[in-house]
Structure formats: structure tokens, C-alpha cells
Amino acid sequence: MPSSVVNLTVNGREQEFLARPAESLLTSLRDRLGLMAAKRGCAQGSCGTCTVLVDDKPVMSCLVAVETIEAAEVRTLEGVADGERLDEVQQAFLDGFATQCGFCTAGMIMTAEALLAENPDPTHDEVVEAISGNVCRCTGYRAIVAAILDAAGRRK
Amino acid sequence: MAKLKGRGYASVNYPTGMNLGGDPSQALIHSTTTGTFVVSLSSVDLGQGLKTVVAQCAAEVLGLPFENILIDTADTDTGPHCMGTFASRGTHRVGNAVIMAAAEAREVMLAVAADELEVDPGDLETDGTGFIAVKGAEEKRIHITDLALAAHFKHGRTISGRGIFLKEQSTVVPETGEMDPDSCQAHACTVAVVEVDDETGVVEVLEMHNAYEIGRALNPAMVTQQVEGGAWMGMSHALFEATEPYYPARDHGPADFTEYLMPGPADIARQYSVILERPADNGPFGAKGIGEMTANAPIPAIANAIFDACGVRVETMPFTPERVLRDLDALKGTT
């Protein structure tokens, strides 16, 4: 099968590139567009480290065939900060030290962005539910949940 | 049928480093032309924060900003030797080696600054913001960037240093079995509060209270996170993790690590952590190792809490609902 031309808007910028058949969005982001924030953890949709937003919805980019989302709007962690200025979620993760090795952080922040966009004032349990698809093996999760709640407070 | 609450505790003493044939690690440090100090190590940072902590050690000794330190752990073939990051030894061994290397580099740095400023090196001090200044005459000073350039292009000097920490091999006294295998020991205690559902056998950890005596906490935020992340791992060992199936058929077991059970964000306990600082005399700025030990005490603490809650003495990890229920049945004499 031939490669196909895919058009996406990634972090506000139009991108046009060739993708192999069934190439994952994650592969396109990392290997073609050089956006390395989304991590390749398990490559089978169970760890959440590759989470990005597609048309504002959080998806595991390792499971999305990029040719199926032609013309979609994609947002990755690289598109969250305003230049050098971190957004509320990033700042809350930094201030609350909600990261240790950092491998899950990009996915956690994108999941949090999606949650807060839809539900600006989540409860503790709603935060827990939102990040249930994102695995962290360092922090024990507590600092992450606290940081997301903190970010919600900062946005008010 | 009820949810039974119980509380248990356990303590741990944990050695920093080990005996082997001696337990050394080395560090080399040099300044680039613009005053960034590159610390070359073979020690690996796999997420535990070694780079951060040893950069703190180097910055403290050099008297320069943290941002002036660059930790390079690129290659174990070409870097100075390290025994490895295990035995909770990284901060202690590598930290000590970096301190020694940075002290030697600082001496050269001050000697070159003395030449530049035409003063005695003994009269110089670092201000922590990047300047080397004459004590009592702070206007007479030079910035590390200018100094490093001058060292390279004017004085023909390398601002560099070598460091090693060696815990020599300790042989056993045949008569008594005595030896001195480690460098210091950290101590900790965990109190776990659990709830046991006597109908389902499910154990939920509600609270973990962690008290750690770890010498000096070089980076208190990272220490607390290590304690709490480790307690989470302990809870994971105690209640979840097994490669064997929970139930008789093998195909009920996990096929890979994506099916390997560990607690998720909904299973976290409330954690309360206290750090006690009693600096170790041989530690870098008094630090002891705080690594593996954080997963230890939570496990027996949870087992003891289960006993307190329902009288069951669980002896095989993980304490799965099936095992707890079987033990409960045996206790009641219903099987």
C-alpha cells in the first residue's frame, strides 16, 4: 500500500506530510514532526504516556492511525505553554513537584488539560477518574491529583 | 459482614552502599570556556534524581549557581568508573566523589581568579551568584564566565578536579563474623491504616504515616516524593503484584506488564511524611541513602494492620482478596 498525504493542524500550525499505511499519530508526531513530548511507553494503549488532544479530546496517540484523522486539530504538550510562560497546569505540576522521572508527565498534563477544559471545577474523584488511564510508577499519584486540583483553582 | 479497620506498623534499618571488593565511584569535573562546570560520571540517572542531587553538591562546593553545573552521564565506557546505581548508594558515593572533584576545581578556580585580580587566593570568596570577589572589597570581583575565558585563553589553565569515594572492602573476622559492610544506615517506620472487607476480602489502605531518618535531606522535595512513591510501591507489593495467577488457571495471570496489577490513582492512601535529619559524618553534607528502603516498611505494616483489623496473619504476598478470605474462613473454622 502506498503512503498517503496527511494534513493536520498541530499546535496551531498547518502540517502536511507523508504517512505510511496505518502509521500511528504518535509516530507521526515523534518521527516526522519532531515533537517528542508524547512518549512511546507501551505502544498498545495501556499506559497513557502518549496522550495528546485531537479536536480537544484526549486520545492515546499510539492507537490512532493518523490517516483517519485528516484535517484534525492536534495539541501536544509542546503547544501548551505560551512561549516561555507555562500554563496553569504546568505551573501547578512544577510548584507541586508532581513529577519524578518525568516519563508520564506529558500524558498526565494533556489528560488534565482535557479534563479542565470540559470540567473547570472537578472533584478529587473526577480527577482520579480522568487520569485512570495514565500510569505513573514514581510518584504514587497523590502529588499529581493535588496539582490538577491546584491548577483548577488557579484558573478560577 | 463488615468493613473492619486496623492499624499496624513496621520499621526498617537500611544500609547505604555495600561491601563487594570495595565500593568506589569516581567523578571528574571541568569548566568549559564559558564557565559551565561539566561533571562527568558513569553513574546512571534512571529517574531517581541523581543528576539533580549531585549538581547541588557541585554547585555548593564551587560556590556557583546550580545553573552553572552540567551533569554528563553519557557513557560508561569512557566516563570515570562507577560501581552502579544500586544499594541506595548513588547520592552517598557519587555525591562524595563530586564534592571531592569540585573542591579541587574550586582551588584552581580561585588560583586563576587570584592571578586575574592580583590578590592572594586566600582572600577570595564566592558569592553563589557567579562572582568570585575579594573578601571585604566586593567591588573587586570577576564573573565565572570571564574567569573561565581568561583561564583558557590567557593563563593556559584547566579549571578541573578529580574525585573518588572509596569504601574499602571489609573482610570478615573469622572468630566473630564481624564486618563493616556499609557506610551508614538510614532508619524508618511506617504506620498503615487499612480497611478489610470481610465479605470480599478486599484490603484498602486508607493512610500511611511515614517517618524517615536519612541523614541530611539534600533535596527535601525529592526525599518526600521518594518516601511517598516508595510507600506506594510497598503497597503495590503488599496487595497487588504477582506474576502468578491469583486463581488456579494460568490464563488468569498477567500475560505482560500491561496486565500486571499495580495500584492506580483511585487506590492511593493518604500519606503523612516526616523527615528527621541527623547528618551522617561520612555522607555528602551528611546525607544517607534513601532509595530502596522506602518500599520495605509499608509491606509488614500493612500485614500487621490486616491482623489488627480482622485477626488474620497473612504470610504470602500479595495479600489478595482470595488469600485474605481463605484465612478468614480458616480463622472462623468455616472451611
Side-chain angles (χ1 to χ4, degrees):
Chain A
M1 283 173 71
S3 295
S4 52
V5 178
V6 176
N7 288 279
L8 296 176
T9 305
V10 181
N11 299 328
R13 184 185 292 187
E14 309 269 326
Q15 299 279 6
E16 184 181 46
F17 54 90
L18 278 174
R20 288 198 195 88
E23 175 171 310
S24 73
L25 171 59
L26 177 64
T27 296
S28 304
L29 291 172
R30 290 182 62 87
D31 300 350
R32 298 199 188 278
L33 304 179
L35 297 169
M36 308 300 263
K39 300 287 183 283
R40 184 176 284 116
C42 67
Q44 52 179 294
S46 46
C47 75
T49 58
C50 67
T51 304
V52 302
L53 307 188
V54 174
D55 295 331
D56 300 325
K57 294 268 180 285
V59 301
M60 305 224 193
S61 58
C62 74
L63 294 183
V64 175
V66 72
E67 68 212 43
T68 65
I69 59 162
E70 171 67 22
E73 214 160 295
V74 177
R75 196 161 168 231
T76 71
L77 183 67
E78 286 94 339
V80 168
D82 178 11
E84 292 290 300
R85 220 174 64 86
L86 301 181
D87 91 331
E88 296 87 348
V89 180
Q90 292 174 309
Q91 196 62 49
F93 268 63
L94 187 63
D95 294 346
F97 204 49
T99 175
Q100 190 168 335
C101 86
F103 200 83
C104 74
T105 308
M108 287 286 184
I109 289 179
M110 295 320 291
T111 301
E113 295 288 358
L115 169 71
L116 296 183
E118 201 180 287
N119 178 0
D121 191 18
T123 63
H124 179 275
D125 288 355
E126 285 168 342
V127 172
V128 163
E129 194 182 333
I131 64 165
S132 287
N134 294 74
V135 167
C136 170
R137 289 289 177 256
C138 297
T139 64
Y141 296 103
R142 193 184 72 140
I144 294 172
V145 174
I148 296 171
L149 289 168
D150 179 25
R154 289 171 194 239
R155 278 200 183 159
K156 273 180 202 163
Chain B
M1 300 300 158
K3 285 195 170 182
L4 308 167
K5 207 165 166 178
R7 186 170 61 186
Y9 84 95
S11 302
V12 57
N13 302 325
Y14 207 87
T16 298
M18 58 193 291
N19 202 5
L20 306 169
D23 188 8
S25 281
Q26 297 182 26
L28 294 173
I29 186 166
H30 79 277
S31 168
T32 65
T33 49
T34 49
T36 294
F37 282 74
V38 181
V39 179
S40 301
L41 302 171
S42 291
S43 322
V44 174
D45 191 334
L46 36 84
Q48 80 276 39
L50 183 77
K51 284 180 171 178
T52 304
V53 168
V54 298
Q56 286 179 261
C57 289
E60 185 72 23
V61 173
L62 288 163
L64 294 174
F66 181 81
E67 291 71 26
N68 274 66
I69 313 298
L70 193 150
I71 307 293
D72 178 11
T73 59
D75 194 331
T76 53
D77 275 346
T78 56
H81 173 257
C82 175
M83 289 298 271
T85 36
F86 58 89
S88 302
R89 65 188 290 288
T91 295
H92 188 277
R93 299 317 196 230
V94 185
N96 273 322
V98 166
I99 287 171
M100 183 177 171
E104 190 172 283
R106 179 187 169 92
E107 224 169 281
V108 184
M109 179 176 80
L110 294 183
V112 178
D115 284 353
E116 270 296 290
L117 298 169
E118 296 178 356
V119 295
D120 187 273
D123 294 334
L124 292 173
E125 63 185 1
T126 45
D127 70 354
T129 72
F131 285 98
I132 295 102
V134 176
K135 288 177 199 164
E138 275 77 25
E139 70 287 349
K140 204 167 164 61
R141 65 180 190 173
I142 184 167
H143 192 267
I144 184 61
T145 306
D146 300 320
L147 182 62
L149 283 166
H152 276 81
F153 296 108
K154 198 164 140 195
H155 301 277
R157 303 281 303 267
T158 64
I159 304 179
S160 61
R162 303 152 297 167
I164 182 165
F165 182 86
L166 170 63
K167 170 76 171 75
E168 287 174 32
Q169 185 180 14
S170 166
T171 50
V172 182
V173 180
E175 293 76 23
T176 61
E178 266 178 284
M179 66 188 299
D180 177 24
D182 53 45
S183 295
C184 46
Q185 295 205 349
H187 312 281
C189 177
T190 297
V191 177
V193 179
V194 307
E195 205 167 60
V196 181
D197 186 321
D198 70 354
E199 186 174 11
T200 62
V202 169
V203 176
E204 193 180 346
V205 181
L206 304 177
E207 294 172 23
M208 302 237 249
H209 301 258
N210 316 300
Y212 277 75
E213 189 285 290
I214 54 147
R216 195 190 296 280
L218 298 186
N219 187 317
M222 280 168 55
V223 166
T224 303
Q225 196 176 69
Q226 178 66 14
V227 166
E228 300 196 348
W232 173 85
M233 286 187 190
M235 183 178 128
S236 184
H237 290 311
L239 299 178
F240 292 84
E241 291 180 52
T243 53
E244 290 302 304
Y246 285 179
Y247 299 100
R250 183 68 192 92
D251 52 4
H252 285 89
D256 60 26
F257 278 113
T258 64
E259 296 173 20
Y260 184 77
L261 270 188
M262 295 179 92
D267 303 306
I268 52 178
R270 288 184 72 95
Q271 295 211 32
Y272 305 87
S273 305
V274 178
I275 308 300
L276 308 171
E277 295 187 279
R278 292 183 188 160
D281 56 7
N282 60 23
F285 302 109
K288 300 176 182 176
I290 170 139
E292 297 150 340
M293 70 183 299
T294 54
N296 291 11
I299 303 168
I302 289 168
N304 287 336
I306 293 171
F307 176 72
D308 185 47
C310 65
V312 159
R313 266 283 168 225
V314 282
E315 287 177 343
T316 306
M317 289 154 58
F319 317 138
T320 58
E322 182 192 14
R323 287 183 174 138
V324 172
L325 273 188
R326 283 186 194 282
D327 287 352
L328 268 174
D329 285 347
L331 195 69
K332 293 178 194 153
T334 54
T335 47

